[in-house]
Amino acid sequence: MSHSPVVRPGAPERLSRMIRLQTVSAELDRRGTADFDRFGDLLAELYPLVHEHLAFEPVTDLGLLFHWRGRGDGDPVVLMAHFDVVPAHEEDGWTFPPFEGRIHDGSVWGRGTLDDKGPLIVLLEAVENLLAEGFVPARDVYLWFGGNEESYGDAAITAARLLEERGVIPWLVLDEGGAVVDAPLPFLKVPAAMVGVGEKGVMTIRIRARGDGGHASAPPRLTAAARVARAVARLDPNPFPKRMPRSMRAMLASFTPHARGGARLLLRVLTAFPWLTARVFARLGGEPAALVHTTVAPTMLDGGSAANVLPARASATVNLRVAIGEDVDSVVRRLRRTIRDRDIEIDVVEGYAPSPESPTDGPQFAAIVDAVAASYPEATTAPYLMMAATDSRHFHRYAPAVYRFAPLAMTAAQRASIHGVDERVTIDSLERGERFHRTLIRSLPE
């Protein structure tokens, strides 16, 4: 068997075709599933060896599960991505139409190039190229592609339960998440492959108040709208405790050998005093602060029917990302203590606890490190805690080693374009991402 890669040209063009299919899960009710169905057909056209050699099984109307049988009987690997995207509108200021898939200036532009059709395509490219060589993995490999990750749909939940019911306990699960970045911390400019070893929980709560309706010319001391507004105001400053999760300490330790001067000294201090680090990160705000405590983000306000009528009901919707060490019940208790108003009702619309943190000293993480070294040799691999939610959280209930890493290089501007404007991936990243997955699959142990 040849071990030299047989890499097909044309990955940017294949990604461009994927981008043209407007698989916007938030607009399913309006658009229907036609583009989602076409996406599955497109994969069969673009990756004929995958469809010839891997067993395919649809899971719900929006999930694609492939099973690649390996040589041995070791626990399998689950490699994940999703093909649905968030909405995008050209009038928001896109350089090129968001669903055109324009190839320009060394990049593919369009909604989904980074989140998550780019990570999906580099995985399929690697599998197709390995199949062209006649390669058979050391253990079974499952490819899972979900079609409603962005809308918190049930496709991945169903897939995770299906595999669990069949006794499939993955040795490794790898989903989207971190990326290769050029400045992992505000004071540290080194290339780093950020691998999510856990993720914060997600909660949506609704704060509600009732009041007497009537004419606004004679208002009571506290209307329903004012009561809700006061409750929201009491959630600022953030009332949740600051903690350094284990993954954060491991991240700082991994950066220390690559830092110089004051940055190295600062990293040593932050690693040695986690209680201090949690407070420093909280004061930095933004992403650093989100790493060390549960975040609270009021997102929607509702109440009233006219400008001169007192509302009988008012509500606020609040999105929280739950830190390690908290759960749904503890979050609600702290919100009640902070709001200090018995006339406020708190309803949990949805609630997912944070996932446990996967180990960084086992063979699974080492395999990721080796694959990064082959594809991004200039980068240091570092663990971190993900702030966003991924489909992999449904596997973390029973799988011991779940990681979140998209093997693409992303500048700060590119990361800001995810769910934003001018999302784009470099062609060089697509090539390196394919090499990452090819290396990872080839090196799986018996």
Side-chain angles (χ1 to χ4, degrees):
M1 183 192 308
S2 171
H3 287 281
S4 60
V6 182
V7 179
R8 305 178 303 156
E13 288 75 17
R14 287 187 282 276
L15 177 57
S16 176
R17 292 185 63 185
M18 291 183 184
I19 299 305
R20 289 175 213 154
L21 295 177
Q22 299 188 35
T23 50
V24 183
S25 54
E27 299 175 354
L28 265 170
D29 291 343
R30 178 166 63 86
R31 291 180 178 275
T33 62
D35 274 354
F36 292 80
D37 298 336
R38 292 188 189 104
F39 190 86
D41 295 339
L42 181 62
L43 294 191
E45 175 192 341
L46 298 181
Y47 300 96
L49 296 180
V50 169
H51 279 72
E52 177 184 348
H53 293 281
L54 275 63
F56 168 68
E57 179 179 2
V59 179
T60 75
D61 293 334
L62 295 171
L64 310 174
L65 181 64
F66 295 88
H67 182 195
W68 189 6
R69 293 203 174 274
R71 302 188 302 269
D73 57 1
D75 290 336
V77 169
V78 177
L79 304 176
M80 303 175 59
H82 66 87
F83 60 93
D84 65 317
V85 299
V86 297
H89 305 285
E90 187 173 356
E91 58 268 23
D92 290 339
W94 286 74
T95 301
F96 306 110
F99 294 104
E100 180 186 314
R102 179 78 64 93
I103 300 172
H104 171 75
D105 195 24
S107 295
V108 184
W109 297 61
R111 174 61 82 226
T113 49
L114 295 174
D115 183 19
D116 190 39
K117 291 176 179 176
L120 183 150
I121 198 174
V122 296
L123 172 54
L124 279 172
E125 292 287 318
V127 174
E128 187 81 1
N129 291 332
L130 288 168
L131 288 169
E133 300 176 31
F135 178 79
V136 178
R139 55 181 70 207
D140 286 11
V141 175
Y142 287 88
L143 309 181
W144 164 252
F145 304 134
N148 56 7
E149 190 272 348
E150 297 289 4
S151 54
Y152 302 106
D154 64 346
I157 297 173
T158 304
R161 287 176 178 164
L162 180 68
L163 293 182
E164 184 180 21
E165 289 167 1
R166 293 175 180 175
V168 176
I169 308 299
W171 180 77
L172 166 68
V173 176
L174 183 63
D175 196 7
E176 64 169 337
V180 179
V181 302
D182 52 8
L185 293 171
F187 55 86
L188 188 64
K189 304 293 190 290
V190 296
M194 304 302 297
V195 178
V197 297
E199 63 184 57
K200 299 176 76 173
V202 180
M203 286 182 66
T204 300
I205 63 108
R206 189 166 291 124
I207 297 171
R208 297 190 300 152
R210 299 178 185 275
D212 295 327
H215 200 279
S217 61
R221 188 182 66 84
L222 202 61
T223 66
R227 190 177 292 277
V228 167
R230 186 179 69 177
V232 171
R234 285 177 174 172
L235 298 178
D236 184 27
N238 185 299
F240 287 90
K242 286 73 176 170
R243 301 188 184 99
M244 274 290 286
R246 176 168 48 86
S247 54
M248 282 284 295
R249 297 195 292 273
M251 179 189 77
L252 295 174
S254 68
F255 289 147
T256 302
H258 305 280
R260 297 289 180 269
R264 173 177 284 194
L265 177 61
L266 178 58
L267 283 169
R268 285 176 173 167
V269 171
L270 294 176
T271 305
F273 301 100
W275 59 270
L276 173 63
T277 305
R279 283 152 182 78
V280 170
F281 274 49
R283 291 185 67 85
L284 287 174
E287 287 188 4
L291 290 169
V292 297
H293 62 190
T294 296
T295 56
V296 182
T299 54
M300 293 190 293
L301 300 172
D302 183 64
S305 57
N308 62 346
V309 176
L310 298 174
R313 289 180 296 273
S315 69
T317 300
V318 182
N319 186 263
L320 302 99
R321 301 304 167 110
V322 184
I324 300 290
E326 302 275 359
D327 58 28
V328 173
D329 291 340
S330 70
V331 166
V332 172
R333 288 195 300 270
R334 187 172 295 276
L335 291 176
R336 291 192 190 282
R337 289 199 304 269
T338 304
I339 291 172
R340 306 189 309 277
D341 188 339
R342 292 182 180 179
D343 291 324
I344 284 287
E345 300 175 34
I346 298 177
D347 299 325
V348 177
V349 179
E350 65 169 349
Y352 293 98
S355 72
E357 295 173 281
S358 293
T360 58
D361 56 357
Q364 296 95 330
F365 192 80
I368 295 171
V369 172
D370 290 344
V372 169
S375 51
Y376 294 91
E378 71 280 10
T380 298
T381 302
Y384 86 113
L385 180 67
M386 266 202 66
M387 291 166 281
T390 70
D391 274 346
S392 68
R393 70 187 186 279
H394 305 303
F395 290 83
H396 223 148
R397 295 181 300 101
Y398 65 92
V402 178
Y403 301 93
R404 301 152 185 88
F405 174 67
L408 302 176
M410 301 185 195
T411 64
Q414 284 174 296
R415 295 199 302 277
S417 74
I418 296 174
H419 292 207
V421 172
D422 276 351
E423 187 177 349
R424 61 200 181 277
V425 64
T426 66
I427 294 172
D428 176 68
S429 273
L430 297 177
E431 295 169 352
R432 289 177 179 236
E434 185 277 338
R435 193 179 312 145
F436 170 91
H437 278 298
R438 187 155 35 92
T439 303
L440 180 69
I441 296 169
R442 189 184 287 285
S443 64
L444 293 174
E446 296 281 357

